[in-house]
């Protein structure tokens, strides 16, 4: 699985989730049960934490990141579509972030 330690913090991925071998999971990232992370997706928890709750889908080439002042949460059943960027925000349950969409720091959906 493509998980990388950053500053001594190792990502945690529930064994029932699928992470494509070409994805990158870096640092303080927690992925819950039944999730899907597609090829070329990047989840980078370098300056804060990313929590992906159960049954979420992060599709091909999506980027999930944090800011120095905002962690990122992806709610249960949410989908981050192809090429979207989710940065330092809070997504509730069953959100759909469309293809190539951009959701930035402090947003709450």
């Amino acid at each position: 699985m493509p998980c990388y330690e950053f500053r001594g913090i190792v990502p945690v991925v529930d064994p029932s989730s699928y992470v494509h071998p070409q994805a990158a999971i870096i640092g303080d990232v927690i992925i819950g049960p039944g999730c899907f992370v597609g090829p070329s997706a990047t989840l980078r928890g370098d300056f804060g934490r990313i929590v992906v709750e159960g049954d979420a889908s992060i599709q091909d080439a999506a980027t999930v990141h944090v800011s120095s002042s905002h962690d990122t949460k992806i709610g249960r059943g949410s989908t981050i579509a192809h090429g979207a960027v989710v940065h330092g925000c809070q997504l509730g349950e069953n959100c759909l972030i469309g293809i190539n969409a951009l959701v930035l720091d402090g947003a709450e959906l």
Side-chain angles (χ1 to χ4, degrees):
M1 186 175 308
C3 292
Y4 304 96
E5 174 184 337
F6 182 78
R7 294 187 179 164
I9 300 174
V10 178
V12 176
V13 178
D14 187 278
S16 67
S17 288
Y18 172 79
V19 177
H20 191 278
Q22 292 176 344
I25 313 298
I26 305 164
D28 195 357
V29 178
I30 300 169
I31 298 177
C35 294
F36 172 87
V37 180
S40 300
T42 301
L43 287 79
R44 185 160 49 102
D46 49 2
F47 300 113
R49 175 172 284 175
I50 296 170
V51 176
V52 181
E53 295 183 344
D55 304 315
S57 174
I58 300 172
Q59 297 178 357
D60 309 25
T63 299
V64 180
H65 194 218
V66 296
S67 71
S68 59
S69 58
H70 294 92
D71 290 342
T72 299
K73 178 187 150 211
I74 310 298
R76 178 170 297 282
S78 289
T79 297
I80 312 300
H82 310 284
V85 176
V86 173
H87 195 279
C89 59
Q90 305 290 307
L91 305 181
E93 291 188 7
N94 301 310
C95 285
L96 171 60
I97 306 304
I99 292 173
N100 288 324
L102 181 63
V103 182
L104 292 176
D105 298 7
E108 294 183 27
L109 303 175

